[in-house]
Amino acid sequence: MGKTILCACEDVTLSDVRRAFAEGHRDLESVKRYTGFGTGPCQGKSCLNAVVQEMIRLGATAAEIAPFTPRPPVQPVTFGSLAALDPEALPVDHGVPVPALPAPPCPGPSGPLPERADVVIVGGGILGLSLAHQLTLRGVREVVVLERSYLNAGASGRNGGGVRAQWSTPTMVRLGLRSLKLFGSFAGDTGVNGWFRRGGYLFLAPDGSQVKRLERNQAIQREQGMRTRILSPGEACAVVPQLDGSRFVAASWNPDDGVVFPWPFLWGYADAARSRGATVRTFTPVTGLDVQGGLVRAVETASGRIRCDTVVNAAGAWSPGVARLAGVNLPNRPTRHEILVSGPMKPWLGPLVSALGTGLYFSQSQRGEIVGGMGDPDEPAGISHGSTLRFLARFSRALVGYVPLTAGLPVMRQWAGSYDVTPDNNPILGAAGPANFLQLNGFVGHGFMMAPAVTEAMAEWMTGREKDEIFDRFTLDRFASGGGVGEDFIIG
Ligand SMILES: Cc1cc2nc3c(=O)[nH]c(=O)nc-3n(C[C@H](O)[C@H](O)[C@H](O)COP(=O)(O)OP(=O)(O)OC[C@H]3O[C@@H](n4cnc5c(N)ncnc54)[C@H](O)[C@@H]3O)c2cc1C
C-alpha cells in the first residue's frame, strides 16, 4: 500500500495522502501543497479523482474537497515560443480568473475557539505564524492565530522564496542578516526542512546609474560584515556562465543570500507554536473587532468571539480591510505580482539572479525548475490573482534575453499573489488607532525574508523587553508627518 502511486508526475503515494490528512491537512488545497500531488505536468488531470476518493473515504466533507484552483498553461509551452509574442500587444487584464482566496469551506472537526486570549493574530501567513512562534517561545501561552483560508493561501504561499541581506539601508541590512541566520536554524528549531539554500543573490546592473546604486549599497552592507562584491560582467559570468554578459555592465554579488521553499515555514511555525499551547485556526475569517474605550476588547468570527488583551493585524494585502473593522485607515495598496515555474533542468544556476530596471528575477529550485517573476509597472492596484499571457510574454522575453539557454525550457505553471504595498515600501508596525491594536503588515515584496527578524523583535517588545528602533521608525503616523526614508531596493 505504501507504494500505491496516486500522482505519477510527482510520485505521491496513497500513504502520503493519508499522512497529510492525519496531520490536519483536510482540504484539497492543503493536501495538494503538503503532498505535491497535482503540481506536475498533468496538473492533477490524472490523479485528482483518486485523491478525492481517498479523502472522502477518510472523512472529508464536501466543502473540503472543493477542487483546487487550476493553473495555466493548460499544456507546457516553451519560454522561446512565449518570448516570440509581443507583450505590448497583450492587455493588462485580470487574466485567467481565479478566486483571490478560495471561499472558506465548512471545516472538519476542530472544536470551539478559546473564549479569551492574551494575543489574537489576524492572518496565518508567515508574519502571523512566525510571531506566534516567537511569542510562545517567550512564554506567552494564550496566543490564537485566525486564518481566513488554508495555511499558505496568501502571499506567503505564493512567493519566490528569495531571502537576502543585500539592502540599501543599515536597518534593512541588519534585519536581512538576522533573518538569514534564523532561516538557517529553522530546521533545527522546528524539525521541519525548509530547503534553505545559500546560493547567493546576483543583481545585474544595466547602466552606470544602477552601478552607482549598487556601489552605495555595497558600502553599507560591508559595514555590517557582508561579503558583497561588485563584479564585472566577466566575473558575473564566472558565477553564472549561462548569462549573456553583454546585457549588463556590472553586478552585485553576495554569496550568503539564498532561497527557501516557503510552504514548510508556515507549517513549521504553526506546529511549533501549537506545541507550546497556541491555537492556530484555519478557515476562520475575522469579521469584527469590538472596540470600546480606546481598546479592542474582542475579536469576532462566525465560530465565536474571543476576548483579548492585544490584537495583531497580520492580514497581508487584506490588512486595510481588517484595520477598518477598528476604524483605522491604512494606506496599503494590494498589487498583483505574477510568478511561474518551469520544467526541470540539470542544476546550472547557483544564485537568485535579479536584473535591475526590468523587475525580472529567477532562481533554480533544488528539483531543477526555474522559479521566477517580474513586476509590471502598468499593474493597477487591487486584489486580483488571475494569471495573464502578458506576464508569460514579458517574463519569457526578458529571461531568454539574459539566458538564451532557457528558450527550449517549458513553462509548467503560473500563478499570482498580492504585494501589500505602502507609500514608502516599508512596513507598518506597532499600535494604530486602539492602543492594543498592533500592525504587522505592508511588507511589499519582501515580507517572507523579513518575517523571522521582525517578528523576533516584535515578540521581544510585546513581552516587555527591548524595543527595536523599527517600532518607532515604521509607525503609521510617519505618513501624516511626511517622515520616513523610502526603500528603493525592492524587486518586481
Ligand atoms: C509572487 C510573489 C513573489 C514574492 N517573492 C518574494 C520573495 O522572493 N521573497 C520575499 O521575502 N517576499 C516575497 N514576496 C512577498 C511575500 O510573499 C509577502 O511579503 C509575505 O508573504 C507577506 O506575509 P503576510 O503574512 O503579511 O501575508 P499573507 O501571507 O498574505 O498572509 C495574510 C493572511 O491573512 C489572511 N486573512 C486575510 N483577511 C483575513 C481575515 N479577515 N481574517 C483572518 N485571516 C485573514 C489571508 O487569508 C492570508 O493567509 C512575494 C510575493 C508574491 C505575491
Side-chain angles (χ1 to χ4, degrees):
M1 184 192 69
K3 291 255 165 83
T4 306
I5 302 281
L6 295 190
C7 167
C9 302
E10 294 297 310
D11 209 14
V12 177
T13 64
L14 185 60
S15 20
D16 290 333
V17 172
R18 289 182 179 171
R19 191 168 135 241
F21 204 78
E23 297 211 353
H25 302 274
R26 296 180 53 99
D27 64 286
L28 210 52
E29 292 278 7
S30 296
V31 173
K32 174 186 172 187
R33 280 161 183 77
Y34 196 71
T35 63
F37 100 83
T39 60
C42 93
Q43 303 270 354
K45 290 185 200 75
S46 49
C47 54
L48 182 58
N49 275 346
V51 173
V52 165
Q53 279 176 29
E54 179 58 17
M55 287 176 63
I56 291 171
R57 218 191 54 72
L58 293 169
T61 63
E64 284 167 338
I65 52 166
F68 59 72
T69 310
R71 305 285 181 205
V74 176
Q75 299 286 346
V77 190
T78 63
F79 285 120
S81 319
L82 292 162
L85 300 173
D86 175 8
E88 296 316 316
L90 296 166
V92 187
D93 59 12
H94 288 297
V96 178
V98 294
L101 283 179
C106 174
S110 50
L113 284 173
E115 286 178 11
R116 83 157 296 284
D118 297 325
V119 181
V120 174
I121 299 169
V122 186
I126 187 73
L127 268 310
L129 292 168
S130 179
L131 180 64
H133 167 67
Q134 293 290 349
L135 286 171
T136 55
L137 270 180
R138 285 161 181 76
V140 186
R141 290 281 168 268
E142 295 184 3
V143 176
V144 177
V145 181
L146 297 175
E147 166 52 47
R148 177 193 180 279
S149 189
Y150 55 91
L151 297 189
N152 282 307
S156 302
R158 297 164 183 267
N159 68 75
V163 294
R164 64 178 156 112
Q166 284 192 74
W167 282 97
S168 66
T169 61
T171 299
M172 293 296 278
V173 170
R174 171 175 63 84
L175 294 171
L177 283 171
R178 181 64 190 153
S179 275
L180 283 167
K181 190 147 198 233
L182 292 170
F183 282 123
S185 62
F186 174 83
D189 293 343
T190 63
V192 175
N193 189 350
W195 305 104
F196 175 46
R197 184 173 62 84
R198 284 191 193 254
Y201 253 64
L202 187 69
F203 284 101
L204 309 180
D207 56 41
S209 71
Q210 297 282 12
V211 178
K212 282 206 175 66
R213 202 175 160 209
L214 291 180
E215 286 170 347
R216 259 197 320 272
N217 294 352
Q218 184 212 24
I220 293 168
Q221 292 160 18
R222 289 190 80 100
E223 269 171 26
Q224 292 197 46
M226 287 176 60
R227 298 196 284 162
T228 313
R229 282 170 53 211
I230 304 298
L231 305 183
S232 67
E235 289 169 322
C237 289
V239 178
V240 181
Q242 293 75 5
L243 280 174
D244 178 349
S246 69
R247 301 287 305 254
F248 56 97
V249 296
S252 174
W253 164 238
N254 172 35
D256 300 317
D257 292 331
V259 176
V260 297
F261 181 39
W263 298 347
F265 283 87
L266 277 77
W267 299 323
Y269 284 139
D271 285 351
R274 280 187 183 119
S275 73
R276 290 187 292 270
T279 301
V280 178
R281 191 59 61 85
T282 51
F283 300 111
T284 310
V286 169
T287 51
L289 297 174
D290 180 1
V291 181
Q292 291 176 39
L295 293 174
V296 184
R297 306 287 174 173
V299 171
E300 288 155 6
T301 76
S303 326
R305 174 185 161 88
I306 308 174
R307 286 178 291 110
C308 56
D309 296 339
T310 304
V311 177
V312 178
N313 180 3
W318 296 269
S319 292
V322 171
R324 273 196 298 278
L325 298 175
V328 174
N329 283 320
L330 296 182
N332 315 27
R333 287 158 70 88
T335 309
R336 176 176 58 182
H337 187 82
E338 297 191 62
I339 185 164
L340 57 72
V341 61
S342 76
M345 266 181 125
K346 69 176 184 193
W348 57 270
L349 178 61
L352 186 148
V353 176
S354 169
L356 295 176
T358 66
L360 172 75
Y361 63 92
F362 54 96
S363 66
Q364 188 170 29
S365 75
Q366 290 182 53
R367 293 160 36 124
E369 304 141 330
I370 298 300
V371 178
M374 188 168 173
D376 189 333
D378 295 334
E379 181 71 40
I383 298 251
S384 160
H385 286 177
S387 292
T388 65
L389 185 58
R390 176 179 159 94
F391 163 67
L392 288 183
R394 292 182 74 242
F395 180 91
S396 303
R397 196 168 266 212
L399 179 70
V400 172
Y402 280 95
V403 189
L405 162 90
T406 56
L409 193 61
V411 175
M412 197 60 69
R413 197 167 59 255
Q414 69 175 130
W415 67 97
S418 286
Y419 276 15
D420 176 18
V421 181
T422 60
D424 64 2
N425 292 321
N426 280 314
I428 298 179
L429 304 175
N436 63 344
F437 184 45
L438 306 184
Q439 307 306 309
L440 178 61
N441 50 62
F443 283 88
V444 194
H446 48 273
F448 208 92
M449 66 182 88
M450 288 293 142
V454 171
T455 57
E456 180 186 56
M458 187 146 168
E460 285 279 291
W461 174 45
M462 286 174 71
T463 53
R465 297 172 174 89
E466 194 187 338
K467 185 183 189 189
D468 193 291
E469 52 102 6
I470 56 176
F471 300 104
D472 293 320
R473 181 189 291 255
F474 297 140
T475 56
L476 174 61
D477 59 16
R478 73 182 184 271
F479 299 112
S481 56
V485 179
E487 178 55 61
D488 71 348
F489 206 58
I490 54 169
I491 300 183

